[in-house]
């Protein structure tokens, strides 16, 4: 670590932290809740302009109308020889229902009280975006030219599984290492994964509710069933699988039983004069970092099909399953791949040293209890970690907040890490 140079950069941040806070408040002032989404154009243009002023080339495209991705690329002075870095964050924030939520001040009018920054997006995650952007500005104003490439991604849709980050990956953006500056309380984290699915039971026939006696009593002679009642068997079967996973699966850094199967939404029946001929269940499945969503979905599906074989009616009318999706808004489904991290990776070690230098405590390396877009970067083959300011308990919360000192220190860490990593030679791997 070039301590003299790093200390000089850190001092710059300390002297100009009001500019950092102004940047954070400017980002938070853009109303980008998702849902309803389709509202990030102005905020993304602000970031595109900010990066362009710092010498980045800009790639901006609509993922959905009104919701563009922005990727800025700063080509290094020794691009082929020095290590590259990708910084990723999402511009959308959690939804707000002001009429139902008791905010002390308007959620999109950020304020600082007692050294705490309040407003929607403070912790999740416009604070992280502001800190990373300001770190790059400090490097630029110090006259530092990075040998390695620096890529900055401001993406849409993370709050509703729209995976703007996935589009960045399919567009070909990659680096030697990536940092997702999402909410982690400045801990270095990986994550488990999430996949949603719809389980549907459909009767081939529709019956009047007066025929129910014929379905359920001896001698009734009618081979039929209520799709709602058969879905009760599906839910019980999923609970049994969930309990089996809790007993048989584990992963370091997670408490037991994190592999949950949540029956989150159920829709069924026509009205009271019908036997329910259709029922659909929306489930959310959490899995560990050493698992992938395709295998987990297959395991759930096989379990339910085996259950159906033991039921005379379901054997003839098995449930169907539809997994994942590209948007919770557009097609009511999402995927967040898991993310394993290697604590011995050179970049993880360097980020830990940068953290320790600023915070004067050893960096915690572990697992996030939630999910971020980091899994998409990891699935694309990019070594990735989650590292950002803010506590998870404040994300999505009324009076969302971020400690100003944590934001300032995070910015110092990122400045140090960007400088150090992008000065390393690829041959030093």
């Amino acid at each position: 670590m070039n301590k003299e140079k790093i200390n000089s950069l850190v001092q710059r941040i300390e002297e100009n932290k009001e500019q950092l806070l102004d940047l954070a408040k400017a980002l938070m002032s853009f109303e980008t809740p998702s849902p309803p989404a389709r509202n990030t154009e102005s905020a993304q243009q602000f970031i595109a302009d900010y990066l362009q002023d710092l010498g980045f080339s800009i790639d901006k495209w609509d993922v959905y109308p009104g919701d563009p991705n922005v990727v800025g690329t700063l080509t290094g002075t020794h691009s082929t020889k020095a290590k590259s870095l990708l910084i990723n964050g999402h511009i959308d924030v959690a939804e707000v229902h002001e009429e139902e939520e008791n905010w002390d001040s308007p959620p999109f009018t950020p304020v600082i009280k007692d050294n705490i920054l309040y407003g929607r997006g403070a912790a999740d995650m416009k604070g992280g975006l502001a800190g990373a952007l300001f770190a790059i500005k400090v490097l630029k104003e110090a006259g530092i030219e990075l040998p390695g490439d620096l890529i900055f991604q401001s993406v849409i849709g993370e709050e509703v599984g729209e995976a703007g980050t996935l589009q960045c990956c399919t567009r070909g953006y990659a680096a030697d290492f990536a940092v997702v500056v999402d909410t982690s309380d400045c801990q270095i984290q990986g994550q488990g994964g999430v996949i949603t699915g719809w389980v549907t039971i459909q009767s081939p026939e529709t019956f009047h509710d007066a025929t129910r006696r014929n379905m359920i009593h001896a001698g009734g002679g009618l081979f039929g069933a209520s799709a709602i009642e058969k879905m009760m068997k599906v839910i019980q079967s999923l609970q049994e699988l969930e309990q089996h996973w809790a007993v048989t699966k584990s992963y370091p850094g997670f408490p037991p039983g994190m592999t949950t199967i949540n029956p989150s939404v159920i829709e069924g029946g026509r009205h009271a004069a019908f036997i329910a001929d259709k029922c659909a269940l929306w489930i959310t499945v959490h899995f560990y970092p050493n698992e992938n969503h395709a295998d987990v979905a297959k395991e759930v599906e096989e379990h339910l099909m085996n259950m159906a074989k033991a039921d005379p009616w379901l054997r003839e009318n098995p449930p169907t399953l539809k997994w994942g999706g590209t948007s919770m808004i557009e097609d009511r489904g999402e995927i967040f791949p898991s993310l394993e991290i290697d604590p011995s990776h050179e970049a993880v070690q360097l980020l830990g040293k940068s953290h320790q230098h600023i915070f004067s405590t050893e960096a915690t390396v572990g697992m996030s209890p939630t999910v971020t877009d980091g899994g998409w970067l990891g699935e694309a083959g990019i070594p990735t970690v989650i590292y950002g300011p803010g506590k998870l308990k404040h994300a999505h919360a009324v009076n969302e907040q971020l400690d100003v000192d944590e934001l300032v220190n995070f910015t110092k860490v990122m400045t140090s890490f960007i400088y150090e990593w992008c000065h390393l030679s690829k041959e030093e791997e």
Side-chain angles (χ1 to χ4, degrees), residues 107-134:
F108 296 104
T109 305
V111 295
I112 296 175
K113 297 178 183 177
D114 300 323
N115 211 43
I116 302 294
L117 174 62
Y118 291 92
R120 177 57 91 220
D124 183 18
M125 56 159 291
K126 288 180 177 176
L129 280 172
L133 286 168
F134 196 74

Side-chain angles (χ1 to χ4, degrees), residues 90-108:
H90 63 88
I91 193 65
D92 57 314
V93 297
E95 65 182 323
V96 175
H97 297 286
E98 289 189 64
E99 66 281 359
E100 302 170 10
E101 299 173 356
N102 189 26
W103 288 77
D104 291 342
S105 57
F108 296 104

Side-chain angles (χ1 to χ4, degrees), residues 129-161:
L129 280 172
L133 286 168
F134 196 74
I136 298 168
K137 183 174 187 285
V138 167
L139 291 165
K140 175 74 172 180
E141 292 181 345
I144 292 170
E145 294 184 330
L146 298 171
D149 293 346
L150 181 59
I151 301 168
F152 192 99
Q153 297 177 346
S154 179
V155 303
I156 65 94
E158 192 268 357
E159 294 291 354
V160 289

Side-chain angles (χ1 to χ4, degrees), residues 160-285:
V160 289
E162 291 186 333
T165 296
L166 175 59
Q167 282 210 7
C168 293
C169 295
T170 58
R171 213 167 172 92
Y173 288 104
D176 294 312
F177 191 71
V179 180
V180 177
V181 290
D182 212 335
T183 318
S184 78
D185 200 19
C186 289
Q187 298 180 25
I188 300 171
Q189 295 179 333
Q191 68 181 38
V194 165
I195 185 169
T196 64
W198 281 94
V199 185
T200 302
I201 293 174
Q202 177 75 62
S203 171
E205 299 177 84
T206 302
F207 298 101
H208 192 285
D209 81 298
T211 64
R212 178 170 173 79
R213 183 196 65 79
N214 301 84
M215 291 182 184
I216 65 173
H217 288 294
L222 181 59
F223 183 61
S226 163
I228 289 175
E229 289 178 322
K230 292 302 180 183
M231 189 60 79
M232 292 164 62
K233 281 198 167 188
V234 168
I235 293 172
Q236 181 181 0
S237 182
L238 291 173
Q239 290 173 334
E240 291 168 355
L241 180 61
E242 181 182 47
Q243 291 164 0
H244 174 69
W245 283 354
V247 172
T248 61
K249 294 184 177 185
S250 63
Y251 191 88
F254 284 100
M258 286 291 289
T259 48
T260 56
I261 306 173
N262 176 36
S264 50
V265 174
I266 192 165
E267 300 172 350
R270 299 190 180 203
H271 60 70
F274 285 81
I275 302 294
D277 58 355
K278 184 177 180 180
C279 189
L281 178 70
W282 197 359
I283 61 174
T284 305
V285 183

Side-chain angles (χ1 to χ4, degrees), residues 37-146:
R38 316 302 174 248
N39 51 20
T40 62
E41 170 63 41
S42 296
Q44 290 290 63
Q45 189 58 52
F46 177 91
I47 289 178
D49 292 342
Y50 193 96
L51 290 169
Q52 193 164 33
D53 288 345
L54 296 176
F56 284 71
S57 60
I58 303 300
D59 183 13
K60 179 169 172 275
W61 72 97
D62 276 352
V63 180
Y64 298 96
D67 272 344
N69 272 350
V70 170
V71 178
T73 302
L74 185 66
T75 303
T77 57
H78 295 85
S79 184
T80 59
K81 296 182 179 179
K83 292 185 176 178
S84 57
L85 178 64
L86 190 158
I87 299 172
N88 172 282
H90 63 88
I91 193 65
D92 57 314
V93 297
E95 65 182 323
V96 175
H97 297 286
E98 289 189 64
E99 66 281 359
E100 302 170 10
E101 299 173 356
N102 189 26
W103 288 77
D104 291 342
S105 57
F108 296 104
T109 305
V111 295
I112 296 175
K113 297 178 183 177
D114 300 323
N115 211 43
I116 302 294
L117 174 62
Y118 291 92
R120 177 57 91 220
D124 183 18
M125 56 159 291
K126 288 180 177 176
L129 280 172
L133 286 168
F134 196 74
I136 298 168
K137 183 174 187 285
V138 167
L139 291 165
K140 175 74 172 180
E141 292 181 345
I144 292 170
E145 294 184 330
L146 298 171

